[in-house]
Amino acid sequence: MRPTDLFDGPLMAEGYASARPRLHDRILRRALSAAQCAPAFGFCLDAGCGAGLSTAALLPYARLAAGADALPSMIRRAAARLRGAQFCVARMEALPLRDACCNLVTAAGSLNYTDVRAALEETARVLQPGGLLAVYDFAPGRRFREDNSLEEWFDTFLARYPKPDDGAVPLDPPALRAATGGLFEPVADGVFEEAELFHDARYADYMMTETNVAAAVRAGASPAPIRQWLEETLPAVFRGQTREVLFEAYFAVFAKPSSSSTRSAP
């Protein structure tokens, strides 16, 4: 299985557009604030943009924004939902951009699915000297702040629909600092929690976009019984309430070296 196979297709693209957590804007704002960078950039690229949620988070900082993704289904959905950016089908290892044209490149949960060193080398090529690379991601939301009922449910969910080996490379700030050696200078990083409110139906929508469900469907399972099981088991966990779900997240910001500065001019 190729790393991208589980994300391919119109149903997954629609799920990523409508059912994924809206955390990108908060995480990116936190990352750029920690980097103490200028509030506005010229040309910004969202590498591995998926259905466009991460690209939308980039728009407030960009005079011109673009998103690239290896999957045409994701690019079609992103282009349909977001009019303020340009989109193209491209892998992060081979971007259809000229040298030193970008001020900021973001990679939200996408660098893991690349040849990491090749993708970083290509990012360094398209960034201007002093330009920034912001990598960030968040783990599945599987915990309430108040009790462990969602964690217990999630363990049952994973036992029923196991997490597949999707080829993702584990990344965190220390791993990224090692991977970027010789290409970028570290600027800022952080590990933290973000929270978002869910009720049981919305959480079921979100779980249907997880790769363990996608793997079960690719193995021949019908989506309808999976959705039925979610709808039968989640109301007892959420108790008819909208509850705060916690997500473990990180960011790591790097600068392409410059003879005069490590920061991009706005």
Side-chain angles (χ1 to χ4, degrees):
M1 180 186 298
R2 295 176 304 166
T4 57
D5 283 349
L6 293 173
F7 300 94
D8 202 2
L11 289 179
M12 199 64 157
E14 177 56 35
Y16 260 65
S18 61
R20 298 294 291 178
R22 280 3 190 214
L23 302 179
H24 294 275
D25 56 343
R26 282 178 273 162
I27 297 174
L28 185 58
R29 186 184 313 120
R30 185 192 291 256
L32 296 180
S33 176
Q36 297 182 341
C37 60
F41 296 85
F43 178 41
C44 300
L45 173 70
D46 181 20
C49 64
L53 291 185
S54 51
T55 315
L58 187 58
L59 290 182
Y61 307 99
R63 293 199 181 105
L64 177 63
D69 198 275
L71 297 177
S73 57
M74 288 289 184
I75 288 296
R76 284 192 292 269
R77 189 65 188 86
R81 73 175 299 273
L82 195 63
R83 302 297 184 184
Q86 301 176 2
F87 292 94
C88 66
V89 177
R91 291 189 58 81
M92 197 172 177
E93 301 94 325
L95 298 169
L97 299 173
R98 59 179 174 81
D99 293 356
C101 66
C102 293
N103 300 99
L104 171 67
V105 174
T106 58
S110 56
L111 186 61
N112 314 63
Y113 295 95
T114 69
D115 177 331
V116 173
R117 187 64 183 185
L120 291 171
E121 289 174 350
E122 181 70 343
T123 303
R125 180 186 68 80
V126 303
L127 273 171
Q128 71 173 42
L132 296 181
L133 166 65
V135 182
Y136 65 92
D137 201 2
F138 52 88
R142 54 178 297 168
R143 184 167 68 87
F144 294 141
R145 198 181 302 277
E146 305 88 353
D147 58 59
N148 63 358
S149 58
L150 185 58
E151 290 178 276
E152 293 173 352
W153 178 91
F154 202 92
D155 288 342
T156 302
F157 173 62
L158 289 179
R160 189 179 183 94
Y161 306 107
K163 186 76 172 174
D165 180 4
D166 59 4
V169 177
L171 292 176
D172 59 13
L176 285 162
R177 285 194 296 271
T180 55
L183 295 172
F184 295 96
E185 299 171 352
V187 176
D189 60 58
V191 178
F192 50 94
E193 284 185 335
E194 285 286 352
E196 185 155 351
L197 295 174
F198 287 83
H199 50 72
D200 57 277
R202 186 185 171 215
Y203 194 79
D205 290 340
Y206 164 44
M207 288 296 100
M208 289 298 293
T209 70
E210 286 292 283
T211 54
N212 48 328
V213 171
V217 172
R218 282 198 171 264
S222 170
I226 300 174
R227 178 73 194 210
Q228 181 178 356
W229 181 81
L230 295 173
E231 292 177 348
E232 289 173 350
T233 58
L234 282 171
V237 178
F238 281 81
R239 304 196 301 263
Q241 302 172 14
T242 297
R243 303 192 65 181
E244 191 177 58
V245 176
L246 301 179
F247 295 79
E248 296 178 357
Y250 76 83
F251 68 80
V253 182
F254 301 89
K256 180 177 176 177
S258 168
S259 58
S260 59
S261 172
T262 59
R263 304 297 169 87
S264 172

